[in-house]
Amino acid sequence: MTSFVTEFNSNLAATSMLLPVVAQLSLALKVHPLAHMIPTTIACSFAFMLPVATPPNAIAFATNAISTRDMISTGVWLNLMACLLIALYTSFAFEMVYGEDPFVCPAWACTD
């Protein structure tokens, strides 16, 4: 979802809008909030499909060397691959990097 939102919004706006929602969702699910917030933050940089997504996309599109259809057909695969890599990172490397289980809510976050 985050990757899709950043195609139409700025990355900062998407991050500011989604992180509070993701934090509360994590607390409701009783899992580590960072396990969802870090991938969400990184996914906000996955704006590969549309010219309006980021200034580099607009510059590439302005050269008239590629069409919007080309950007979408390539960008959708980049988005899917990037989302898969983030999911794998969170599932397998989070505990090793941060020293905490991503499926257990830490004491500082879950008060009940």
Side-chain angles (χ1 to χ4, degrees):
M1 180 180 90
T2 303
S3 179
F4 181 74
V5 169
T6 60
E7 297 299 335
F8 302 100
N9 283 1
S10 72
N11 296 350
L12 180 60
T15 305
S16 298
M17 178 178 57
L18 292 171
L19 282 183
V21 174
V22 170
Q24 290 303 312
L25 178 66
S26 297
L27 294 178
L29 294 172
K30 300 205 182 306
V31 297
H32 203 299
L34 293 179
H36 290 145
M37 294 175 74
I38 291 171
T40 300
T41 303
I42 294 169
C44 283
S45 298
F46 296 163
F48 302 122
M49 290 194 304
L50 296 175
V52 298
T54 63
N57 289 10
I59 292 169
F61 182 72
T63 64
N64 291 328
I66 55 174
S67 67
T68 303
R69 174 172 276 147
D70 293 336
M71 291 185 78
I72 291 172
S73 64
T74 303
V76 72
W77 293 110
L78 288 171
N79 279 344
L80 291 173
M81 184 175 61
C83 289
L84 176 66
L85 290 173
I86 286 296
L88 289 173
Y89 164 77
T90 303
S91 298
F92 299 110
F94 185 87
E95 189 169 358
M96 185 173 49
V97 172
Y98 298 104
E100 297 189 38
D101 186 356
F103 304 108
V104 175
C105 194
W108 58 264
C110 294
T111 56
D112 35 283

